[in-house]
Amino acid sequence: MMLAGASLRASGADDLARLPYLKAYTVERLSSYDRAGANDDGQRRNPIKPGETRTIGEAPGPGIITHMWFTISTPEHYHLKKIVLRIYWDGDPSPAVEAPIGDFFGLGLGQYFMYESGPISVGSQKALNNYFPMPFRKSARITITNEGSQPIRAFYYNI
């Protein structure tokens, strides 16, 4: 509802007013989708072994990551503490983000529970969502490392 004299800026209506206009950027997605067209995401044939680091996405810049969604299938107990997420910006060899995946999504005790907050949510089916805006100038690279003793059978993602 708008009150007489209320600012469009304060309500976010100016963003809606600009919605139909051509933008000077493209929207892209990094995904674990099955490139063969099936519903396998390539994971069942290629699990992430204990000790393995896998690059799950690389993007040229400039850009901004606006959403990350993950869901994980593994027999590993407390796998949220044993899978490490690293994000690298602009070719830097040191990660700007380095955290157990559970900690990154607000699950610091290593167990799933559903919750909603502004930038993070954990939904049913162990859906991990993050909406932190993460800008980069030249490039972004995202890796996960399985520091557990069991393979990760499936690591699904959309970034």
Side-chain angles (χ1 to χ4, degrees), residues 77-144:
H77 191 59
Y78 288 114
H79 66 271
L80 293 172
K81 288 294 208 181
K82 298 175 183 177
I83 299 170
V84 178
L85 173 69
R86 292 181 179 88
I87 304 175
Y88 303 81
W89 306 128
D90 303 329
D92 192 334
S94 298
V97 173
E98 182 172 27
I101 202 157
D103 292 17
F104 186 76
F105 287 94
L107 301 173
L109 298 177
Q111 296 180 325
Y112 288 94
F113 63 90
M114 289 178 36
Y115 77 95
E116 293 283 334
S117 72
I120 302 173
S121 74
V122 178
S124 64
Q125 307 299 314
K126 302 179 179 178
L128 305 170
N129 288 278
N130 171 309
Y131 296 93
F132 290 124
M134 296 182 277
F136 53 94
R137 184 165 297 172
K138 297 177 189 171
S139 64
R141 184 168 62 96
I142 304 164
T143 69
I144 57 165

